[in-house]
Amino acid sequence: MTDEFDPFIANLAKELREPVRLDARLDERIMAALEPEVISIATRRPEVPRQPWYRRTFAVPAPLGGLAAAAALAGIAAIGILATRETSAPQVAQNSGMEVRPVVNAPVDRSAELQPTQFILTDPTAKRVVLIGDFNDWDVDATPMAYDSTHGAWSVTIPLLPGRHQYQFLLDGTRYVNDPVAPQMSGDFGSPNSVVTVRIPQQ
Amino acid sequence: MTPSQGLPLQNDDDAAVVAQVLAGETAAYAILVARYRAQFGRYAVRMLGSREDAEEALQDAFVRAYRSLARCDDPVRFGSWLFRILANRCRTAGGRKGRRERTFINDDVALHGASHDHPAERNAWREEIQGALLKLEPEQREAFLLKHVEDLGYEEMAEVTGVGVSALKMRVKRACERLRVLLQEVQGD
């Protein structure tokens, strides 16, 4: 296969290189979308525990319930995603009139399918750990993790739609860490991300 | 790697702007938006066949890049990094839209820039080209646009798409063959 000049293809390319007219306010719209209040529902922290799922105690598989054992691991040792046995559909606050972009692959009306999903990272040396992923547009402020000094572990539980999600942990605002116990895949940004697959619980 | 003659994938000034944004001057991001919107927007329009969808993909790419800016390892190549995000968004959007009825680009998109003696004929021809382009498999359309419209070299295309050079060459070849068949049918009418 060679790249010989082809006048027919060259003519097509010339036509397709003509500039296109975009919305004159597109720049403005993009800059407005960067404002922190114009973000997806998944990035909005549950300010009050009004969501029923948030108040519940999740059943955690026994081996993972012992965070202390994992905390004994040297360096960073992630326990990963804990499958919950919660079977009732969790609820989230709906769009309250504010411009909200839909979660990737997740129309708002799928909120009843959201599954509470827990992430845990064991790293007693970190001062702050944030969960970032495609579910919160990789927002470094949206999903901070809480530290349990007893176990030396960071954890957070968030509602996720069934399907595959990419994520990482951001440590102290500078270190991006994959979950060592989760599978990885190549992400949009050229580096691998951890992957969690959320499934609808068996009834 | 031979730099692209088309898409602005590398710009020494980008590193300074990225540093400004990361230092807290978020308004400086508008410089990057203004720098890349036109050419990247054209790619998205050609790829998706709809200005509305293209603007949505472009906005999504800019927002994702902004929120992950600290992960841009080589700010001089911000354009390449942003384009990779956009190409991914176009693939996602293309798959989603492909199940619905496709919308051809608006007349004003086709009309813009037409300054020939017979603009109506030229506009019609351009619409035929865009229509034929949308009949290609998305990966062939992507490869054709990157190679022949955006003037990327195959190594750059491989970097952007994550697909091997030989596979890309095959996609371009098949895209050209298919376009020739589709458009020569039109010309023969």
Side-chain angles (χ1 to χ4, degrees):
Chain A
M1 261 172 287
T2 59
D3 289 335
E4 291 175 5
F5 179 76
D6 181 330
F8 181 77
I9 296 300
N11 173 265
L12 302 189
K14 182 185 172 190
E15 293 296 329
L16 293 170
R17 279 195 208 103
E18 288 292 333
V20 298
R21 183 183 300 167
L22 300 172
D23 181 357
R25 297 186 63 190
L26 181 61
D27 291 28
E28 191 181 323
R29 280 164 43 196
I30 291 170
M31 293 306 290
L34 305 181
E35 296 299 321
E37 60 273 14
V38 186
I39 55 180
S40 74
I41 58 170
T43 65
R44 295 164 64 186
R45 287 180 223 172
E47 295 165 2
V48 292
R50 58 188 171 184
Q51 297 91 341
W53 68 270
Y54 195 73
R55 285 201 293 264
R56 292 177 187 148
T57 301
F58 301 120
V60 175
L64 299 177
L67 293 179
L73 296 174
I76 297 170
I79 298 176
I81 314 306
L82 305 184
T84 70
R85 292 177 187 151
E86 195 69 47
T87 55
S88 59
Q91 302 295 316
V92 296
Q94 295 297 307
N95 185 352
S96 57
M98 180 173 63
E99 181 184 355
V100 174
R101 293 182 56 73
V103 181
V104 175
N105 296 333
V108 173
D109 61 6
R110 292 186 65 197
S111 60
E113 300 174 39
L114 290 166
Q115 302 298 317
T117 307
Q118 187 173 26
F119 294 78
I120 293 179
L121 176 75
T122 301
D123 184 359
T125 66
K127 300 289 187 293
R128 183 170 189 265
V129 178
V130 177
L131 173 67
I132 55 175
D134 52 18
F135 39 79
N136 66 8
D137 278 343
W138 304 92
D139 188 332
V140 298
D141 296 316
T143 316
M145 299 176 74
Y147 185 61
D148 179 342
S149 58
T150 304
H151 304 110
W154 300 83
S155 73
V156 68
T157 301
I158 59 171
L160 291 180
L161 285 165
R164 193 168 63 179
H165 303 273
Q166 297 185 40
Y167 67 98
Q168 282 192 320
F169 301 112
L170 174 59
L171 280 60
D172 299 328
T174 57
R175 284 190 293 149
Y176 292 90
V177 174
N178 274 316
D179 188 336
V181 299
Q184 296 183 7
M185 67 179 290
S186 179
D188 286 349
F189 311 114
S191 55
N193 296 319
S194 300
V195 178
V196 57
T197 302
V198 177
R199 294 183 173 84
I200 298 173
Q202 301 273 330
Q203 296 297 318
Chain B
M1 183 182 299
T2 306
S4 160
Q5 299 300 308
L7 279 177
L9 299 182
Q10 182 168 330
N11 188 322
D12 291 343
D13 295 338
D14 284 357
V17 179
V18 168
Q20 273 183 280
V21 176
L22 290 175
E25 294 178 48
T26 54
Y29 196 70
I31 297 170
L32 298 174
V33 174
R35 186 170 290 163
Y36 290 106
R37 70 190 288 275
Q39 203 154 0
F40 286 13
R42 183 186 68 184
Y43 170 81
V45 168
R46 300 303 185 211
M47 191 65 198
L48 299 174
S50 149
R51 191 178 75 175
E52 183 185 18
D53 291 343
E55 289 177 351
E56 186 179 325
L58 194 59
Q59 176 171 324
D60 195 30
F62 271 116
V63 170
R64 287 168 65 84
Y66 173 83
R67 290 184 175 153
S68 307
L69 202 55
R71 305 172 76 201
C72 181
D73 295 331
D74 186 1
V76 170
R77 293 184 60 76
F78 170 83
S80 174
W81 184 69
L82 173 66
F83 187 77
R84 199 157 57 227
I85 297 172
L86 175 65
N88 270 334
R89 305 321 295 162
C90 286
R91 268 180 236 128
T92 305
R96 205 165 50 231
K97 304 292 180 188
R99 290 187 287 275
R100 299 207 303 260
E101 186 179 355
R102 278 179 171 145
T103 309
F104 279 57
I105 53 175
N106 295 334
D107 286 344
D108 62 339
V109 173
L111 288 166
H112 184 71
S115 57
H116 277 213
D117 292 341
H118 304 287
E121 287 183 12
R122 184 173 178 186
N123 294 337
W125 174 233
R126 194 175 299 156
E127 285 192 9
E128 293 291 353
I129 296 172
Q130 180 71 49
L133 202 56
L134 291 174
K135 289 179 181 171
L136 300 181
E137 293 299 319
E139 60 269 21
Q140 291 180 7
R141 183 162 65 246
E142 177 186 71
F144 177 84
L145 288 173
L146 292 177
K147 175 63 183 169
H148 286 294
V149 179
E150 306 301 348
D151 276 340
L152 263 61
Y154 278 110
E155 288 184 18
E156 285 178 306
M157 290 167 64
E159 180 188 337
V160 167
T161 61
V163 177
V165 169
S166 58
L168 288 168
K169 286 183 176 179
M170 183 58 72
R171 289 179 186 181
V172 171
K173 179 174 182 289
R174 288 184 174 156
C176 291
E177 290 170 351
R178 179 90 174 119
L179 286 172
R180 192 184 308 278
V181 170
L182 289 168
L183 290 167
Q184 284 179 344
E185 282 175 2
V186 172
Q187 286 182 320
D189 288 346

